[in-house]
Structure formats: structure tokens, C-alpha cells
Amino acid sequence: MSLALCLLASGCAHRVQDVFQPLAVVPTDTSRITMLVVTTRKPSDDRGTLYSGDRGTAISLNSVEVSIPPDRNRKIGEVQWP
């Protein structure tokens, strides 16, 4: 029963779009973390989506810089979407 509820609830969630768009102005009071992304997914032509859901023909490597707002501007443990 609980498994069915979990599957049903996950189907209602929506995908957030364009979260990888570069910012025109980078805030100065954020922490920045560089992450190495390794995947076998096919690269996307859309700048807001790094990879598509399709399998690629090779391993793709990418470096992504993520900015984290200061503690005073966010709730710790929650993701803030643009």
C-alpha cells in the first residue's frame, strides 16, 4: 500500500526547467562549489538542460559551478529553484 502511494506521489511531481542557465549577474555573497559531472547521457542542445534523458554514445564529462545563497537567505536543507 505505501509503495503504491509513493509511486503515485512521485508521478505528480513536476520537473524544474532551465535551472542550469548562467546568471547575468553573479551575486558576490554566495558560496560556490565546483562539481564534476560524469554521465552516459546524451548532451542536450538546450542550454538550460545539460543532458537529455537519452543514452549517449560515450561518457561525457562536465564541470559545473553551483552557487549557494548565504544561510540568512535560505532554509538549510531546502532547494531554492530560480
Side-chain angles (χ1 to χ4, degrees):
M1 175 75 170
S2 62
L3 176 61
L5 289 174
C6 290
L7 291 174
L8 180 63
S10 67
C12 297
H14 68 283
R15 293 181 60 186
V16 179
Q17 299 292 322
D18 298 325
V19 295
F20 289 114
Q21 292 288 349
L23 297 176
V25 177
V26 179
T28 57
D29 60 345
T30 60
S31 301
R32 292 188 184 100
I33 297 175
T34 302
M35 298 185 337
L36 175 63
V37 177
V38 180
T39 185
T40 58
R41 296 294 171 193
K42 181 179 176 184
S44 174
D45 295 330
D46 180 16
R47 283 187 50 166
T49 307
L50 287 178
Y51 299 100
S52 71
D54 300 328
R55 292 207 183 270
T57 56
I59 294 175
S60 295
L61 302 172
N62 206 332
S63 178
V64 177
E65 188 170 292
V66 178
S67 61
I68 302 171
D71 291 348
R72 68 180 181 278
N73 293 350
R74 66 183 175 96
K75 286 187 176 181
I76 295 175
E78 291 185 12
V79 175
Q80 289 180 320
W81 299 108

